[in-house]
Amino acid sequence: MSGPGPAPERDRATAPSRDPVGVVVRWAAFGCLLVPVALLWCGSSAAGAVGAAAGPATVTGVCRLLMRRSQRVAARPPSGERQPRRDPCRRAGTGAREGRPHNGGDTPVG
C-alpha cells in the first residue's frame, strides 16, 4: 500500500521551474507597495508617501530590465571563435595579400 510521500523523480523533473527574476521583481514590488503604507501609517502625507514610493519603484523597474537583458545574453549559444574581419580595401590574391605575414623569405637573394 503506497501512501503520500515524496514525488517520484520523473514528476520532479517535469515540474515547472520558477523564474528567479520574476520572484525578485515580485518581492521588490511588494516592498514598493509596503513603503507608502508604512509612511501613511506613521502619519506622513499622501503626497510624501507616493513620492517616497516612486524611487524604489523606478529602481525596481530598471533592475528588472537589466536582469531580463542579462538572461537573454546568457541564453545565447556561444558563438565560438570570431571570424576574422575582411578588409574591403584588399584585393583577392595569394601570399601576403591574404593576411599572411610577409617576411621576405620567398624573395631571391641578388
Side-chain angles (χ1 to χ4, degrees):
M1 191 171 196
S2 66
E9 289 297 320
R10 62 181 167 79
D11 290 343
R12 278 189 234 149
T14 59
S17 64
R18 296 183 70 178
D19 180 22
V21 173
V23 172
V24 170
V25 170
R26 280 193 292 275
W27 277 106
F30 173 72
C32 290
L33 293 175
L34 195 60
V35 167
V37 170
L39 288 173
L40 288 173
W41 182 268
C42 292
S44 179
S45 68
V50 170
T58 303
V59 170
T60 300
V62 170
C63 288
R64 179 184 181 273
L65 290 174
L66 291 173
M67 286 190 291
R68 292 289 183 194
R69 182 175 181 219
S70 67
Q71 276 187 333
R72 283 194 305 269
V73 169
R76 288 184 194 160
S79 62
E81 293 182 15
R82 290 187 171 187
Q83 297 294 325
R85 293 181 60 184
R86 183 178 174 271
D87 188 0
C89 296
R90 292 190 174 209
R91 292 180 276 165
T94 61
R97 293 185 184 196
E98 288 184 358
R100 287 187 237 143
H102 185 69
N103 59 6
D106 295 336
T107 58
V109 177

